[in-house]
Amino acid sequence: MIEDLETASSSPTPLEKHKTPEDQKNSLSFRAVNAVNIDIRHVNVDIDVSKSGFSALAASLKRKESTKEKQWKPILRNINAKIPSGTLTAILGGSGSGKTSVLHAMSHRIDSDRLRVTGSILYNGSANISSVRSAYVLQQDVLLPTLTVKETLLYAAELRLPLSTSADERRRVVDEVILELGLKECANTRIGNNIHKGCSGGEKRRTSLGVQMLANPSVLFLDEVTTGLDATSAHQLIATLKSLASKGRTIIVTIHQPRSEIWGLFDRLLLLSGGSSIYSGPVNGCIQYFEDIGYDLPPFVNPAEYLIDLAAVDHRSLELEEASSARVDILKKAWRAISDNRSSWYFDEKFETHDEVDEGGSKNYPTALGRQVRVLIMRTLKVTWRDPLGMAGSLLEAFSMAIITGWIFLNLDGSLSGIRSREGALYTAAALQGYLILLFETYRLTIDIELFDREFSEGVLDVPSFLISRRIARIFVEDVPVPLIYSVIFYFMVGFRTNASQFFIFFAITLLTHYIAVTLAMLCIAVSRNFAGASLIANMAYTLQSLACGFFVQSNQIPVWVRWLKWTAYVFYAFGAHAANEFLSHTNNPRGQVYDCPAPGGASNPACAEYTGAFVMDSLGFPSQWVVRPIIALLAFVIAFYLGAAVVLQYKRVSIGISRAQKAYIDTSLGKEKISVRSLKEIRTVVIRLEKYCLDIQKRNTWFRKSKKLSILKPLNTLFEPGILNVVMGPSGSGKTSLLNAMAHRMESTAFTQYEYGGEMFFNNALPSADVVRSICSYVCQDDDTLLPCLTVRENLHFAAGLRLPTHFSKTEKCQRADSVLLKMGLSDCADNLVGSELVKGISGGEKRRVTIAIQILTDPRILLLDEPTSGLDAFTASSIMTVLKGLAEEGRTVVLTIHQSRSDLFNQFGNILLLARGGYPVYAGKGCGMLPHFESLGFPCPVATNPADFALDLITVNLQHESKEEATRSKVRTLIAEWDVACPTVYRSVSHIATPAELGSLSRAPTPFRISFPLLLRRSFLNFRRSPPSVIARTTQVLGFGIILTLFFAPIKNDYNSVQTRVGFIQEIAALYFVGMLQNVAVYPEEKAVFYREHDDNAYGISAFFLQYTLAELPFEMLTSLLFALLTVVAAGLPRSTKLFFIVAFNCFAIVNCGESVGIIFNTLVSHTGFAVNLTSVVLSVGTIMGGVMSLNIPAFLQAWNHLSPIKWALGNLAPYTLRGVAFTCGEAQRSVEGRCPIETGEEVLRLYNLDTREGVWLGA
């Protein structure tokens, strides 16, 4: 390593003194850091819970409360802590005790005007955290799913390590991180996501930590870093952090369930309860402190588990809550007395002073711009290449749009209708193609921006490097191919002149409009991170562009108060440049191109004026010589949009919002733990038997070539019995989650991933169908994506009870059952808090876990599968939940759960244990009481004072941190696997009262009937929608904003010759509502669909109830906005002011928006990749808009047939006659023919010209 990197310490640290030479050889070799001491003094955090907006106004009008006075709710109270450098500090406490809030306060991660923070947090005496190099490991893993673990760390090293490190040295450091974090065996595995499986949850957690470790911070904050890790991996991880701390770093972690060996690694402790500290100081004085105030640690008890139990309030019953609350109050008062005593030993501690060292930049300054750009280009290229649907989406969009629109405008002639169609074709190229790219890029950026926000907030990269690299990386993948494919196909299909210079000018304009679209998308995302807000900005911006461009409304006909906007509209320049390129350029004729005039004499005949390019350009309102200047203006737009995005990204910081508590309900569960108890004789139990059950995965790459088959689970023989806890244990990557997914039939094969099952799974010695399995099994997944973020905990449970409990339950009984489970799961304290999301802080992660479990146990399932139910929970809550699960099992259910970290006192509750080694190899399957004797017979006795669960995981885990230990532990695990293959007993057939599949099917739970589920879903949807500002924006502002802009540009509509184009353009613009419906759908539907899929897998309700509630939930907003749209367009814009036309316009608006939503539903349901679905939907909507009858007047016969499926055809077909019949047009003298007639004198002539002279009543009905 070079001098910047620490090789071997000349004097070993205290931790290194007892290490073997092999340990010291493989210890992490990071550079030295500046010592940072953290001093927290009397920190209080309060949140404003007073009403705001319309709620505050309504309350003020009712005189219930003043809108001026704020109501503050305490989050943290009087937090004091001294954290010296070179220490590992643990923050312990129950779920909701304020652990994450303390970390957020220390790291300045929440910046909200609703928070009030008092007290001081000093870093080496400075209140500015940016004065030190720090890093924060989030609870959520923000990683690129298509990169492997090693690639993720290599790119992180490139961005975080100093410039002076060579490529070989960066690889060495990454290899050390991989070894230290136990990531060796998954180093070449892709991270994956919920659609494409990759690393396990624990492996993702360790990768996130590795990314932050590579920054070599002086201060490292870690929020629940061991969540999702098995006990052995958690111990190894904390030992790594201890090693890093011993080299001068200040490391603070929140942790839920530390094993006893981990407790011994902590230097300092901050113990919280209800937002207040009850101890803060050295770990070695903690136990003595609590003994001094009367709380002695029992023998053979993990100190961390004891302290968490001590600090927890038990909400499972009134008696337990009163007793535990009294105990906690005593602990708070005792510690407050010490904190208030300024002369106590706690405040006598002094920080040691340390000499400053050269960190290569002590603060979080990003590396050089050139290196950032290079690294981001390589990373973006790799991510783009590995996302075939995303990459194919834009290319397929260009190809399909060019083919279909080229077919629509195929070989245009030189007649008047052909000239009008040429204008439509040029507008399509100038505006519509760019609009589709704008929508796709906006959606894609809502996903990609998350990683930028994290890296930018950490000081890893700059805004310019992100913007520059994104475009350079895609220049040969999308930015040039997409406009080139479109230009080549569309240009020659339409029949524009085969002139090389004209074609390349056409391509240059199309290329610039593509770049404008992607840069405008970046600006929209910089302003609003959610798709609803960003798409609203993009759609309104495009509407301004299309109206000001001169196609739908002649530019000189635009009202004077908005006419100046045409100079700010890039489509005006693009359409004008295309028009000049087609109608005026590449000819020596001063009147421009001359088309097929039927009158004799050609262009010299005044009757042929309409057939000349100069006349067309004049009618469009464009100046002459309009090619070069527009191209320069388009280039200026590209630069301006990207500079605007850069400024907004630089100075508009993204912070976590905070949800508001809702009005409390009356708790019907107080004092009642159960509604009713059923006799075991009434319960029909289910025994699950696996015989040689195995699972393989066959994956295909981007080009559908098969890769090597991956074996996830080796043949298993085991039994899961009712009445006891059946526990699946194993290290990360052992296949625990895959086993539960397979058992629950939750793994669906796709084009890229095929799941191949082997062996059999019997329920009571019968083979169940997939429908039966889904019906009688409830499955608690690791993630909590079924929870609606804008509902409270109680509301989520009440709605779940209504949708899942049998119909013989009354509404009151369902609510009582929900409140009973809420009490049993210890959730009464947060019952009226919103669940929250990643962007809006709600309940804690542990509380979300408990809500998810509570929903599944509502239904009294025969089989309950739980994937890591205690992950993310503190030790006390985990124990409470295990007690609840044991009680559920004793009532006759078959409970199967995976578990990573188990308390020592819980092991005796394990009835059956299935122990899996990495790779899905069974090591033990049988009674829990027989596991330790089995290992003892093989020469591996469990020490008396060791947690048996931790012992078993340590025994079967390969130590990947050190080469010599790796080989020894790998050999040991192979021996254990081989011994079990020999010793594995034959799985016996249990005696059962159910012997046939038909009888087994009688146990299945029917979905909730439509008459019950539909009104509940509708009410839940409205409630969740009302509290979600992005959803409100998506539903209400798109149509209204579109109508306002339309009115501004068209009002008042006149009756001269130039207004013919304006009136027809006004009708055509209404077709853009098709896209508005699609945007509303994309902003709301994917999230609701994800909730439906999970609930449908649980057999909660049917498809019809979901689709009907989604449809009806959107109807009121569509009807209201349609009426407002009609009010603006009919009354304000100047259409014939009649009640009949008002309702006709409103109905057409409603129908078009609703059809757009329907098309969005179809493609978002058929395609799981939302970005790809957006592209497909946009193409379909664009084709329908173009074929509506105004932009193209000579559609081929084949497409005319398909055009009957488009609502735009029928909408324009009835709107045009209703708005044009009986209208008389005037013209100027220069526009009159030799006979003195105007080119168009009546609305009927316009209808005939555009083939819209229809039976409007019939078309309205269609």
Side-chain angles (χ1 to χ4, degrees):
M1 304 292 287
I2 62 172
E3 293 179 359
D4 284 9
L5 298 175
E6 206 175 32
T7 52
S9 177
S10 57
S11 57
T13 64
L15 184 71
E16 292 171 334
K17 289 179 180 178
H18 61 271
K19 284 188 176 182
T20 66
E22 186 67 30
D23 291 333
Q24 295 187 23
K25 178 182 176 182
N26 287 281
S27 61
L28 281 177
S29 55
F30 289 122
R31 293 164 288 116
V33 296
N34 280 325
V36 177
N37 301 310
I38 302 178
D39 191 3
I40 305 173
R41 299 178 183 177
H42 304 294
V43 169
N44 298 280
V45 177
D46 300 276
I47 182 173
D48 178 16
V49 295
S50 55
K51 294 180 179 179
S52 62
F54 293 109
S55 300
L57 179 62
S60 178
L61 292 175
K62 293 178 182 179
R63 297 183 178 180
K64 290 185 176 181
E65 60 179 87
S66 171
T67 57
K68 296 182 180 179
E69 297 180 1
K70 292 185 176 181
Q71 299 178 4
W72 296 97
K73 176 183 178 181
I75 301 296
L76 298 176
R77 273 288 166 265
N78 196 32
I79 304 298
N80 295 279
K82 285 180 177 287
I83 306 175
S85 63
T87 58
L88 175 60
T89 300
I91 303 177
L92 297 182
S95 296
S97 62
K99 301 187 298 297
T100 299
S101 297
V102 169
L103 272 193
H104 282 160
M106 293 173 66
S107 59
H108 299 273
R109 289 197 57 86
I110 293 186
D111 182 18
S112 172
D113 55 1
R114 292 179 54 214
L115 281 181
R116 181 177 65 188
V117 182
T118 59
S120 63
I121 303 174
L122 304 178
Y123 310 87
N124 284 345
S126 171
N128 185 9
I129 192 175
S130 62
S131 63
V132 300
R133 184 187 290 270
S134 64
Y136 192 108
V137 179
L138 300 166
Q139 286 190 36
Q140 296 83 22
D141 300 308
V142 184
L143 303 168
L144 292 171
T146 54
L147 294 182
T148 66
V149 169
K150 189 167 186 175
E151 289 167 346
T152 299
L153 294 175
L154 280 172
Y155 287 125
E158 292 268 9
L159 292 171
R160 287 167 167 80
L161 292 179
L163 285 171
S164 53
T165 55
S166 67
D168 289 338
E169 289 160 347
R170 288 192 292 271
R171 281 193 291 269
R172 284 179 59 186
V173 174
V174 167
D175 289 340
E176 290 173 7
V177 170
I178 288 173
L179 284 175
E180 193 71 25
L181 297 180
L183 294 168
K184 182 179 178 181
E185 294 197 353
C186 65
N188 296 315
T189 302
R190 292 188 186 181
I191 298 296
N193 53 23
N194 58 342
I195 299 175
H196 302 287
K197 299 299 180 183
C199 293
S200 66
E203 290 164 344
K204 290 179 183 177
R205 284 265 72 197
R206 282 176 279 164
T207 304
S208 295
L209 174 58
V211 167
Q212 297 301 334
M213 286 168 58
L214 288 167
N216 193 37
S218 295
V219 181
L220 181 58
F221 303 99
L222 304 104
D223 194 8
E224 299 180 18
V225 69
T226 61
T227 295
L229 302 184
D230 60 85
T232 301
S233 299
H235 183 214
Q236 292 174 350
L237 183 59
I238 299 298
T240 297
L241 295 177
K242 174 68 174 178
S243 174
L244 292 172
S246 67
K247 297 174 183 177
R249 294 166 182 82
T250 307
I251 299 180
I252 304 102
V253 303
T254 65
I255 192 167
H256 271 148
Q257 300 180 59
R259 56 189 283 183
S260 54
E261 292 87 348
I262 290 178
W263 170 261
L265 297 174
F266 296 141
D267 297 304
R268 302 184 72 83
L269 173 69
L270 175 58
L271 185 60
L272 299 175
S273 180
S276 299
S277 54
I278 59 176
Y279 179 80
S280 178
V283 167
N284 54 22
C286 175
I287 302 302
Q288 183 61 48
Y289 165 76
F290 284 102
E291 288 179 353
D292 291 343
I293 59 176
Y295 296 95
D296 295 338
L297 174 68
F300 303 107
V301 172
N302 183 344
E305 294 174 357
Y306 172 72
L307 293 177
I308 293 173
D309 290 350
L310 204 62
V313 176
D314 194 337
H315 296 284
R316 289 176 293 175
S317 70
L318 274 176
E319 295 78 10
L320 290 173
E321 184 173 353
E322 290 174 356
S324 56
S325 296
R327 180 187 69 242
V328 168
D329 288 340
I330 292 172
L331 294 174
K332 289 180 180 178
K333 290 177 182 178
W335 184 251
R336 193 179 304 120
I338 292 179
S339 299
D340 293 340
N341 182 8
R342 302 294 299 180
S343 62
S344 69
W345 60 270
Y346 172 78
F347 291 97
D348 286 339
E349 285 189 301
K350 303 294 183 183
F351 287 132
E352 295 182 12
T353 58
H354 302 270
D355 294 332
E356 293 287 316
V357 299
D358 183 10
E359 291 183 325
S362 63
K363 304 169 184 59
N364 292 16
Y365 292 145
T367 188
L369 179 64
R371 180 164 163 182
Q372 291 180 45
V373 172
R374 177 179 59 82
V375 173
L376 291 178
I377 287 173
M378 298 305 295
R379 188 173 73 178
T380 305
L381 277 172
K382 188 166 289 186
V383 169
T384 304
W385 185 254
R386 290 180 181 172
D387 182 19
L389 286 180
M391 186 170 63
S394 55
L395 297 176
L396 181 62
E397 179 274 328
F399 182 80
S400 56
M401 271 295 291
I403 290 291
I404 298 174
T405 56
W407 199 352
I408 293 172
F409 297 103
L410 186 64
N411 292 327
L412 295 176
D413 57 27
S415 64
L416 279 180
S417 61
I419 293 173
R420 297 297 173 98
S421 293
R422 283 176 189 271
E423 295 174 11
L426 294 173
Y427 171 79
T428 300
L432 203 54
Q433 168 64 13
Y435 178 58
L436 303 191
I437 297 298
L438 171 64
L439 295 183
F440 176 60
E441 182 71 6
T442 301
Y443 173 77
R444 187 164 57 179
L445 276 169
T446 59
I447 300 171
D448 296 347
I449 202 69
E450 292 181 9
L451 184 60
F452 163 77
D453 285 335
R454 194 201 72 184
E455 293 180 331
F456 180 63
S457 66
E458 294 168 355
V460 172
L461 51 80
D462 293 315
V463 171
S465 61
F466 170 68
L467 297 179
I468 295 170
S469 64
R470 186 173 180 86
R471 295 278 53 91
I472 294 178
R474 290 188 161 90
I475 188 169
F476 296 116
V477 179
E478 292 179 3
D479 290 352
V480 172
V482 167
L484 182 61
I485 291 172
Y486 180 82
S487 298
V488 170
I489 298 174
F490 181 75
Y491 185 91
F492 293 105
M493 286 189 71
V494 172
F496 294 128
R497 283 181 299 278
T498 56
N499 182 296
S501 61
Q502 182 173 336
F503 168 77
F504 282 111
I505 290 174
F506 181 92
F507 168 67
I509 298 168
T510 307
L511 178 65
L512 286 172
T513 56
H514 175 92
Y515 271 109
I516 288 174
V518 295
T519 53
L520 177 57
M522 182 65 74
L523 179 59
C524 295
I525 286 296
V527 176
S528 176
R529 292 295 195 270
N530 62 77
F531 183 76
S535 65
L536 172 65
I537 298 169
N539 201 37
M540 293 302 101
Y542 172 75
T543 302
L544 284 170
Q545 305 292 323
S546 63
L547 291 177
C549 74
F551 177 69
F552 293 108
V553 51
Q554 205 261 4
S555 58
N556 294 326
Q557 293 286 308
I558 299 174
V560 67
W561 56 84
V562 291
R563 189 176 301 170
W564 59 272
L565 285 174
K566 70 181 181 180
W567 304 108
T568 67
Y570 67 84
V571 178
F572 171 74
Y573 296 97
F575 180 49
H578 274 314
N581 186 44
E582 166 63 21
F583 296 119
L584 290 180
S585 300
H586 316 289
T587 179
N588 296 322
N589 191 331
R591 304 185 70 181
Q593 300 292 342
V594 180
Y595 294 92
D596 302 338
C597 178
S604 60
N605 189 335
C608 293
E610 295 179 78
Y611 292 85
T612 63
F615 182 90
V616 175
M617 289 292 288
D618 182 65
S619 67
L620 292 173
F622 290 120
S624 59
Q625 303 299 322
W626 196 239
V627 176
V628 177
R629 282 177 293 172
I631 290 178
I632 296 174
L634 292 175
L635 183 60
F637 272 104
V638 174
I639 298 171
F641 284 147
Y642 235 28
L643 287 177
V647 171
V648 178
L649 288 173
Q650 181 71 42
Y651 297 106
K652 185 179 182 293
R653 300 301 175 96
V654 177
S655 59
I656 303 173
I658 303 172
S659 65
R660 297 179 184 271
Q662 302 300 307
K663 181 180 177 181
Y665 290 77
I666 297 175
D667 195 341
T668 61
S669 68
L670 290 178
K672 300 188 286 291
E673 292 218 11
K674 294 181 182 293
I675 301 300
S676 62
V677 179
R678 296 169 62 188
S679 169
L680 288 178
K681 295 180 180 179
E682 300 174 351
I683 299 175
R684 305 171 75 180
T685 60
V686 177
V687 177
I688 303 175
R689 178 164 54 90
L690 303 182
E691 283 192 4
K692 297 181 179 180
Y693 197 72
C694 59
L695 173 65
D696 297 331
I697 294 181
Q698 179 70 70
K699 290 193 173 184
R700 297 177 183 270
N701 61 16
T702 305
W703 312 111
F704 288 92
R705 294 174 182 169
K706 289 185 178 180
S707 59
K708 182 180 178 181
K709 184 179 292 186
L710 183 64
S711 180
I712 302 299
L713 291 171
K714 303 303 185 289
L716 301 175
N717 294 285
T718 190
L719 204 65
F720 297 129
E721 299 175 287
I724 58 176
L725 291 180
N726 301 274
V727 178
V728 183
M729 296 173 59
S732 296
S734 59
K736 304 183 299 297
T737 300
S738 296
L739 174 61
L740 290 192
N741 284 332
M743 291 174 61
H745 287 221
R746 299 293 176 93
M747 304 179 84
E748 300 290 340
S749 295
T750 65
F752 293 97
T753 305
Q754 295 289 323
Y755 297 101
E756 300 177 2
Y757 299 92
E760 301 292 351
M761 178 175 68
F762 297 95
F763 283 9
N764 289 344
N765 301 326
L767 287 173
S769 66
D771 290 338
V772 169
V773 171
R774 290 193 180 98
S775 181
I776 67 176
C777 290
S778 284
Y779 185 27
V780 179
C781 302
Q782 284 191 46
D783 47 11
D784 306 308
D785 55 3
T786 58
L787 303 179
L788 293 170
C790 295
L791 298 185
T792 66
V793 170
R794 192 189 305 275
E795 288 166 347
N796 268 288
L797 280 170
H798 278 191
F799 282 115
L803 292 170
R804 296 164 185 260
L805 290 178
T807 55
H808 64 264
F809 277 66
S810 67
K811 181 179 178 181
T812 301
E813 288 174 331
K814 289 180 179 180
C815 290
Q816 287 179 341
R817 168 68 71 87
D819 288 333
S820 175
V821 172
L822 182 145
L823 186 68
K824 190 182 296 185
M825 300 299 292
L827 290 166
S828 59
D829 199 41
C830 63
D832 299 305
N833 292 340
L834 296 182
V835 169
S837 62
E838 293 181 2
L839 296 178
V840 180
K841 177 68 176 172
I843 60 177
S844 69
E847 289 164 339
K848 286 182 181 179
R849 279 265 75 194
R850 282 181 278 163
V851 177
T852 304
I853 296 171
I855 287 175
Q856 294 298 338
I857 67 176
L858 276 171
T859 58
D860 192 25
R862 296 298 85 220
I863 299 173
L864 182 59
L865 308 176
L866 305 102
D867 192 10
E868 299 179 23
T870 60
S871 180
L873 303 183
D874 61 272
F876 171 77
T877 307
S879 176
S880 301
I881 285 181
M882 291 299 290
T883 301
V884 171
L885 295 179
K886 189 171 186 297
L888 293 172
E890 289 173 347
E891 292 178 353
R893 299 173 184 84
T894 305
V895 178
V896 184
L897 65 147
T898 65
I899 193 165
H900 265 153
Q901 302 175 46
S902 169
R903 291 175 53 133
S904 54
D905 56 349
L906 294 180
F907 181 78
N908 292 332
Q909 299 181 20
F910 297 172
N912 286 329
I913 293 178
L914 172 60
L915 195 60
L916 298 174
R918 185 175 180 85
Y921 292 94
V923 179
Y924 176 81
K927 296 294 183 182
C929 58
M931 185 184 74
L932 294 183
H934 168 72
F935 289 130
E936 188 171 0
S937 68
L938 300 176
F940 300 102
C942 177
V944 176
T946 299
N947 182 344
D950 294 344
F951 164 77
L953 287 172
D954 291 344
L955 192 63
I956 64 170
T957 300
V958 177
N959 189 329
L960 301 173
Q961 295 178 309
H962 313 292
E963 292 182 4
S964 61
K965 289 185 177 181
E966 178 184 349
E967 186 56 37
T969 53
R970 194 179 296 278
S971 176
K972 178 183 63 179
V973 172
R974 286 172 181 161
T975 301
L976 293 172
I977 294 171
E979 290 290 343
W980 181 251
D981 285 341
V982 175
C984 176
T986 303
V987 179
Y988 60 90
R989 291 177 174 264
S990 300
V991 177
S992 172
H993 299 293
I994 305 171
T996 67
E999 291 176 302
L1000 187 62
S1002 67
L1003 280 177
S1004 63
R1005 174 173 53 87
T1008 302
F1010 177 86
R1011 60 182 173 81
I1012 296 175
S1013 60
F1014 170 69
L1016 279 173
L1017 289 171
L1018 192 62
R1019 181 167 172 265
R1020 184 179 74 173
S1021 176
F1022 274 120
L1023 193 59
N1024 188 63
F1025 172 84
R1026 183 169 59 86
R1027 296 177 187 161
S1028 175
S1031 300
V1032 174
I1033 291 172
R1035 287 279 188 217
T1036 59
T1037 57
Q1038 295 267 17
V1039 175
L1040 188 59
F1042 180 75
I1044 292 172
I1045 295 173
L1046 209 61
T1047 302
L1048 286 174
F1049 274 85
F1050 283 93
I1053 298 177
K1054 300 177 182 178
N1055 289 349
D1056 57 9
Y1057 173 71
N1058 289 332
S1059 69
V1060 172
Q1061 177 184 343
T1062 301
R1063 285 181 177 270
V1064 175
F1066 183 84
I1067 298 171
Q1068 176 66 41
E1069 270 295 298
I1070 294 177
L1073 291 168
Y1074 214 8
F1075 289 94
V1076 171
M1078 183 268 285
L1079 292 177
Q1080 293 182 174
N1081 173 263
V1082 174
V1084 177
Y1085 179 73
E1087 292 182 3
E1088 294 202 11
K1089 180 186 70 172
V1091 174
F1092 163 71
Y1093 279 163
R1094 186 61 60 86
E1095 292 179 331
H1096 186 63
D1097 284 340
D1098 293 335
N1099 207 34
Y1101 51 86
I1103 297 174
S1104 57
F1106 167 71
F1107 273 110
L1108 188 58
Q1109 73 82 21
Y1110 180 85
T1111 302
L1112 287 185
E1114 70 191 33
L1115 288 182
F1117 303 100
E1118 290 177 354
M1119 289 189 290
L1120 175 63
T1121 54
S1122 297
L1123 290 172
L1124 293 174
F1125 178 84
L1127 186 67
L1128 288 168
T1129 54
V1130 174
V1131 177
L1135 292 178
R1137 294 183 177 93
S1138 67
T1139 304
K1140 178 181 179 181
L1141 186 60
F1142 172 82
F1143 285 107
I1144 288 172
V1145 172
F1147 175 75
N1148 278 278
C1149 173
F1150 168 79
I1152 295 172
V1153 172
N1154 191 267
C1155 288
E1157 284 246 18
S1158 300
V1159 176
I1161 290 174
I1162 292 171
F1163 284 101
N1164 273 299
T1165 303
L1166 292 175
V1167 182
S1168 60
H1169 192 294
T1170 306
F1172 190 71
V1174 168
N1175 265 326
L1176 291 178
T1177 309
S1178 299
V1179 170
V1180 171
L1181 300 188
S1182 299
V1183 171
T1185 302
I1186 295 170
M1187 292 196 305
V1190 175
M1191 295 177 67
S1192 176
L1193 304 182
N1194 297 303
I1195 301 175
F1198 172 76
L1199 291 179
Q1200 280 283 14
W1202 283 100
N1203 195 25
H1204 285 77
L1205 300 176
S1206 171
I1208 303 300
K1209 171 184 172 64
W1210 306 103
L1212 298 187
N1214 75 79
L1215 279 174
Y1218 278 123
T1219 57
L1220 286 171
R1221 287 195 195 281
V1223 177
F1225 294 100
T1226 62
C1227 64
E1229 290 300 325
Q1231 295 170 324
R1232 293 182 181 274
S1233 65
V1234 291
E1235 292 86 4
R1237 296 185 70 258
C1238 292
I1240 294 178
E1241 295 183 334
T1242 65
E1244 285 74 7
E1245 293 180 36
V1246 179
L1247 295 175
R1248 287 192 292 272
L1249 174 64
Y1250 286 95
N1251 300 322
L1252 292 173
D1253 192 9
T1254 62
R1255 298 170 60 188
E1256 57 269 24
V1258 176
W1259 286 52
L1260 178 65

